[in-house]
Amino acid sequence: MLYLPAGIELPDLLQRLKTGKASERKIKAGWDELLRLIASIRSGRLTAKEALERLGSAARGEAPHAAADALGKLLRTIFLCDYFTKPAFRRELHTLLNRGESAHQLQRAVYHGRIAPERGRRREEMRAISGAHALLTNVVIAWNTMKMQEVVDRWRAEAPDLGRPAAPHGASALRRVRQRARQG
């Protein structure tokens, strides 16, 4: 669903889409309190968890909640417009999602068993198990990165021109473009 401020109409091609309204009035009314909340998080006086609790369903009807809700709707609409109209943005997003899924596949490969019933019953145990799993996964990623860098370094030592741009995109082409710009 796309959310639009009052007075903004969709082009004819998009009329079939389901739309809702995002209230600019609510954003303006709760803007100062929302900024205070964000500043409190950034300064460390408030954790993100506490902020989310303040903006949760219990806060319905309060100005900062209404402002965050309306602003979120507009930001989601902008994101969807970018996603559907900018192929480069979509490719980058898919690349990042695939990278995240690769990390999950690695985690599953690192430990594919089940946690024993006597383990992981308390919150502290789950944190310890999760932290150890993440640490082991990060060690594997770091080791792979180190080995790949060793290969790249070896290749560069064997072929110094490896990785340098070929003409006309090299430094000499850039100098020629700058000279022409100064002359004309």
Side-chain angles (χ1 to χ4, degrees):
M1 176 181 277
L2 298 179
Y3 293 92
L4 304 170
I8 305 261
E9 295 298 323
L10 282 176
D12 291 337
L13 291 172
L14 301 176
Q15 288 298 327
R16 294 187 340 209
L17 293 176
K18 189 172 181 182
T19 60
K21 296 293 179 193
S23 174
E24 286 181 90
R25 182 183 48 79
K26 288 180 182 177
I27 294 172
K28 288 176 184 175
W31 185 252
D32 291 338
E33 289 182 60
L34 194 57
L35 284 182
R36 265 190 235 102
L37 188 67
I38 293 167
S40 296
I41 294 169
R42 287 203 166 190
S43 68
R45 284 183 266 155
L46 187 69
T47 66
K49 180 184 179 215
E50 292 167 339
L52 287 173
E53 287 170 355
R54 286 190 186 180
L55 288 175
S57 60
R60 281 206 168 104
E62 294 181 16
H65 180 274
D69 186 53
L71 186 60
K73 288 176 179 179
L74 288 177
L75 292 174
R76 181 172 51 186
T77 297
I78 291 169
F79 171 83
L80 288 173
C81 290
D82 286 345
Y83 182 83
F84 288 116
T85 60
K86 296 180 178 176
F89 177 73
R90 192 168 45 248
R91 271 192 307 276
E92 182 179 351
L93 188 64
H94 287 200
T95 299
L96 293 172
L97 289 171
N98 287 337
R99 194 171 297 147
E101 182 55 33
S102 295
H104 290 131
Q105 284 178 340
L106 175 61
Q107 286 177 336
R108 286 190 292 274
V110 166
Y111 184 79
H112 62 275
R114 299 188 69 170
I115 297 171
E118 64 273 6
R119 299 273 185 245
R121 301 229 176 191
R122 293 192 315 265
R123 186 174 296 236
E124 307 87 48
E125 290 176 338
M126 286 304 292
R127 276 196 201 122
I129 291 168
S130 177
H133 195 208
L135 178 62
L136 188 55
T137 302
N138 288 338
V139 166
V140 171
I141 291 171
W143 186 86
N144 282 341
T145 304
M146 180 186 71
K147 290 299 182 184
M148 289 189 309
Q149 187 62 50
E150 286 175 5
V151 170
V152 169
D153 292 343
R154 189 179 72 236
W155 286 353
R156 284 189 178 149
E158 292 169 3
D161 292 335
L162 184 67
R164 292 194 183 154
H169 304 290
S172 59
L174 185 58
R175 277 193 295 275
R176 285 193 302 272
V177 169
R178 286 181 183 154
Q179 287 172 350
R180 287 181 193 152
R182 280 188 219 125
Q183 292 170 356

